[in-house]
Amino acid sequence: MDVSKHIIDEAKTLSEFHEELVSQLLIHSSMGMVVGAGEFTNAVKRAIFYGEPVERSKLIKNLKDLIWYISIACFDLNIPIEAICDNNFLHEVVKRTQKKKEKQLDLFSNE
């Protein structure tokens, strides 16, 4: 099997890049969010699997980076960042917390 030929043939089937459908700000923010989340996750992974200490300041910096990239996306979508933390967001947080508490109670009630 000629791997190079196979890769070239596959590349020919890729769809076109439609840059005009997504702004540069959304591209920038989406990539930044992925990188920031990856760095946060990597720090946690390294602590769990390699015993490395978690540097709280680095985790906080990663969270700030995520908020920065979220704010870029909000700007591009022409919505205030508060719009994604509206009452529906808060309601969802409360609902998830309640479900978690109920699940914990169920675990203890079976003992």
Side-chain angles (χ1 to χ4, degrees):
M1 170 187 236
D2 185 353
V3 175
S4 295
K5 182 183 177 325
H6 179 72
I7 291 171
I8 291 168
D9 289 343
E10 278 297 313
K12 290 176 185 175
T13 66
L14 296 175
S15 37
E16 294 179 25
F17 181 65
H18 295 282
E19 184 178 320
E20 72 280 2
L21 299 178
V22 180
S23 73
Q24 288 182 352
L25 286 176
L26 282 181
I27 294 169
H28 182 195
S29 64
S30 66
M31 290 180 179
M33 284 187 262
V34 169
V35 169
E39 289 174 355
F40 188 94
T41 303
N42 190 50
V44 173
K45 175 201 76 172
R46 296 188 75 75
I48 293 170
F49 296 107
Y50 307 122
E52 294 181 8
V54 175
E55 292 184 43
R56 187 173 186 272
S57 62
K58 283 188 178 180
L59 293 179
I60 292 169
K61 182 196 174 301
N62 292 139
L63 291 174
K64 288 179 179 180
D65 288 347
L66 287 168
I67 292 170
W68 169 249
Y69 289 114
I70 290 168
S71 69
I72 291 172
C74 288
F75 173 80
D76 191 61
L77 296 170
N78 198 28
I79 59 169
I81 196 165
E82 293 83 5
I84 61 172
C85 296
D86 62 7
N87 287 335
N88 289 333
F89 170 78
L90 296 174
H91 176 73
E92 187 62 32
V93 169
V94 169
K95 193 166 76 173
R96 288 181 189 181
T97 303
Q98 186 61 36
K99 282 183 181 179
K100 188 175 180 180
K101 286 181 182 177
E102 289 170 4
K103 190 174 183 180
Q104 289 172 341
L105 289 174
D106 286 346
L107 288 174
F108 289 117
S109 67
N110 290 334
E111 292 179 349

